[in-house]
Amino acid sequence: MVAPVTAALLIIGDEILTGRTKDRNIGYIAEYLTGIGVDLCEVRIVPDVEAEIVAAVNALRTRYTYLFTTGGIGPTHDDITADSVARAFGVAIDVDPRAVAMLRERYQPGDLNEARLRMARIPAGADLIENVVSKAPGFRIDNVFVMAGVPAIMQSMLDTIAPTLKTGARLIAETIEAEGLPEGIYAGGLSEIALAHPLVSIGSYPSFSATGFRNQIVVRGKDAEAVAKAVSAVHDLLRRLKGDGAPI
Amino acid sequence: MVAPVTAALLIIGDEILTGRTKDRNIGYIAEYLTGIGVDLCEVRIVPDVEAEIVAAVNALRTRYTYLFTTGGIGPTHDDITADSVARAFGVAIDVDPRAVAMLRERYQPGDLNEARLRMARIPAGADLIENVVSKAPGFRIDNVFVMAGVPAIMQSMLDTIAPTLKTGARLIAETIEAEGLPEGIYAGGLSEIALAHPLVSIGSYPSFSATGFRNQIVVRGKDAEAVAKAVSAVHDLLRRLKGDGAPI
């Protein structure tokens, strides 16, 4: 059995906490990591405050295989992620010649002012993560990956990072439509199935629209046979409850 | 000066961490709380695991004025929020007659099975939060508000909760378009403005689309005069940089 590979995600930025910017990175990263066999176990959103970033980085990097961060690596005064990560690791931070070389692909020497050089500040010992969109790199230090907050840039950085990651068994998720059955009717039977199939986790997800509730049951697990058995049990349950199979 | 009122938000659910469901509550709640003068300071997303929920509830409720949670209060076995919150507070939990009365508005006595009665399990000492959509209530215990995860239900619960909250001064946020100026050009001047206006926080937010980067500068603060002064300073900076004012 492949050992699980876990991850946390840290979203950094006042703009998310004030609601000014609606996050589009969490869902993308969650789906992406799940798809490659990395289990996202926790997400936090913190403001542009160094002590908060340092505390969250240290809490999360020590607990999970990987920590990914987004946001706060631009040229303005509120971009304090690199300095905060350096502090979290207790390492020095300075303008990195490799990062300057990357910025030179975009900026003429005269345009590479102090603010833009801020984007080349990289903690000692970090490896750079290429940015094909706007050149200012992200970086990896130990098990922490620091990425941009702009979705297009973050997504390309994640594509660069993914092949370097350890991965575990991929989560298999099967979705079953409850087709009109209310949660309260199948909940008892579903609970019994969950108990009888300890290798899978089963979730029930109602959504609500103008046409009323729609319920979906999701069976998740890393053992294909165990998932298939539980899915089959759920189908049997729904059939019985709809009355076109054997009575309960 | 009004004392600040702070809050954290805890999103509970495997479906968010696996990317199966894309969260729509964080941005809504962030904007809503900011709008009424409650400062959202931290968000966490944790899985449907009791120990994780208990740890997050206790970490967040002791640190902020309020904690809001979403998700995990339905009738199925994976809905463990109420039990987890009871454990976090070290109080008993049982089927609550007030909650049963609410459920009776929707369900005939014969339909109120064991699973549905699970939705009436409320920690001792909690007040109920009405659910006009599907009747199963949320609850408040001390400074923790437990809400549904389905956005329409959560939103109506938040409307019910809001008038009962202490609120602080509302955050004033003014957005200034950088109108084609790149961040790296105004970053130095913006940093000086940020230093000279300690009562406000200033953020710079690039977004990227097919037409290239667009930058917005946001000045936030609770003192209208301080915000106005900083906004004016930002406008002056941008004018100077665009060359239609006095040189820098």
Side-chain angles (χ1 to χ4, degrees):
Chain A
M1 179 151 173
V2 188
V5 176
T6 62
L9 170 61
L10 179 62
I11 306 280
I12 298 162
D14 293 351
E15 71 277 22
I16 305 292
L17 290 169
T18 58
R20 183 263 176 200
T21 300
K22 304 296 182 286
D23 169 77
R24 292 191 284 138
N25 291 333
I26 296 172
Y28 183 92
I29 293 170
E31 197 167 350
Y32 194 108
L33 293 179
T34 302
I36 62 172
V38 173
D39 302 336
L40 182 63
C41 298
E42 182 171 352
V43 178
R44 295 192 191 183
I45 308 176
V46 297
D48 299 316
V49 174
E50 186 176 276
E52 299 297 328
I53 301 170
V54 170
V57 165
N58 281 334
L60 298 172
R61 75 182 173 94
T62 53
R63 187 159 181 214
Y64 303 103
T65 315
Y66 297 120
L67 168 62
F68 299 86
T69 79
T70 70
I73 63 166
T76 56
H77 64 281
D78 56 324
D79 290 307
I80 61 170
T81 298
D83 283 82
S84 302
V85 170
R87 177 155 299 190
F89 277 90
V91 301
I93 180 166
D94 206 343
V95 170
D96 185 310
R98 297 167 303 169
V100 174
M102 288 177 171
L103 292 174
R104 283 216 177 103
E105 294 172 30
R106 179 165 179 213
Y107 300 106
Q108 298 299 313
D111 291 339
L112 211 46
N113 61 19
E114 197 185 343
R116 284 173 171 151
L117 281 174
R118 209 177 142 74
M119 296 189 286
R121 284 174 68 78
I122 304 289
D127 295 320
L128 303 188
I129 301 167
E130 192 187 15
N131 170 348
V132 295
V133 180
S134 60
K135 299 302 174 189
F139 59 86
R140 170 195 185 146
I141 178 166
D142 195 10
N143 64 334
V144 179
F145 294 86
V146 172
M147 305 188 289
V150 174
I153 303 177
M154 181 283 292
Q155 291 170 19
S156 95
M157 287 181 172
L158 200 52
D159 285 339
T160 303
I161 293 165
T164 73
L165 299 175
K166 285 187 292 188
T167 55
R170 257 201 287 266
L171 190 72
I172 303 160
E174 292 279 348
T175 299
I176 302 148
E177 294 285 341
E179 288 170 33
L181 279 176
E183 277 194 303
I185 293 299
Y186 63 69
L190 199 64
S191 177
E192 286 168 21
I193 293 172
L195 278 174
H197 295 79
L199 285 180
V200 304
S201 72
I202 304 180
S204 171
Y205 304 114
S207 55
F208 182 73
S209 69
T211 57
F213 277 97
R214 172 191 184 186
N215 295 311
Q216 293 183 309
I217 297 164
V218 178
V219 177
R220 300 184 188 91
K222 298 195 167 184
D223 181 313
E225 197 183 328
V227 171
K229 279 185 181 162
V231 166
S232 170
V234 172
H235 279 303
D236 288 348
L237 170 70
L238 297 179
R239 257 196 305 272
R240 284 202 308 274
L241 291 172
K242 278 188 259 174
D244 54 356
I248 301 177
Chain B
M1 177 151 174
V2 189
V5 176
T6 61
L9 171 61
L10 179 62
I11 307 280
I12 297 161
D14 293 351
E15 70 278 22
I16 306 291
L17 291 170
T18 57
R20 183 261 177 200
T21 300
K22 303 298 181 287
D23 168 78
R24 292 191 284 137
N25 291 333
I26 296 172
Y28 183 93
I29 293 170
E31 197 168 350
Y32 193 108
L33 293 179
T34 302
I36 62 172
V38 173
D39 303 335
L40 182 62
C41 297
E42 184 172 349
V43 178
R44 295 192 192 182
I45 308 176
V46 297
D48 299 316
V49 174
E50 186 177 274
E52 299 296 328
I53 301 170
V54 169
V57 165
N58 281 333
L60 297 171
R61 74 183 174 93
T62 52
R63 187 158 182 214
Y64 303 103
T65 314
Y66 297 120
L67 168 62
F68 299 86
T69 79
T70 70
I73 62 167
T76 55
H77 64 281
D78 57 326
D79 290 306
I80 60 170
T81 298
D83 283 82
S84 302
V85 170
R87 176 154 299 191
F89 277 90
V91 301
I93 180 166
D94 207 344
V95 170
D96 184 309
R98 298 167 302 167
V100 174
M102 288 177 172
L103 291 175
R104 284 215 177 103
E105 293 172 31
R106 180 165 179 210
Y107 301 106
Q108 300 299 316
D111 292 340
L112 213 44
N113 60 19
E114 194 183 347
R116 283 173 172 151
L117 281 174
R118 207 177 143 74
M119 297 190 285
R121 284 174 67 77
I122 304 289
D127 296 319
L128 303 188
I129 302 167
E130 191 189 17
N131 170 351
V132 296
V133 179
S134 59
K135 298 301 173 190
F139 60 87
R140 171 195 184 146
I141 177 166
D142 196 11
N143 64 335
V144 178
F145 294 86
V146 173
M147 304 188 290
V150 174
I153 303 176
M154 181 283 292
Q155 291 169 18
S156 96
M157 286 182 173
L158 200 52
D159 286 338
T160 303
I161 293 165
T164 73
L165 299 175
K166 286 187 291 188
T167 55
R170 257 202 286 266
L171 190 72
I172 304 159
E174 292 278 349
T175 299
I176 302 148
E177 294 284 341
E179 287 171 35
L181 278 176
E183 278 193 302
I185 292 299
Y186 63 70
L190 199 65
S191 177
E192 286 168 22
I193 293 172
L195 278 173
H197 295 80
L199 285 181
V200 304
S201 72
I202 304 180
S204 171
Y205 304 113
S207 55
F208 182 74
S209 69
T211 56
F213 276 98
R214 172 190 182 187
N215 294 309
Q216 293 183 310
I217 297 164
V218 177
V219 176
R220 299 185 189 90
K222 299 196 166 182
D223 179 312
E225 196 182 328
V227 170
K229 279 184 181 164
V231 166
S232 170
V234 172
H235 279 301
D236 288 348
L237 170 70
L238 296 179
R239 257 196 304 275
R240 284 203 306 276
L241 291 173
K242 279 190 254 172
D244 55 356
I248 302 176

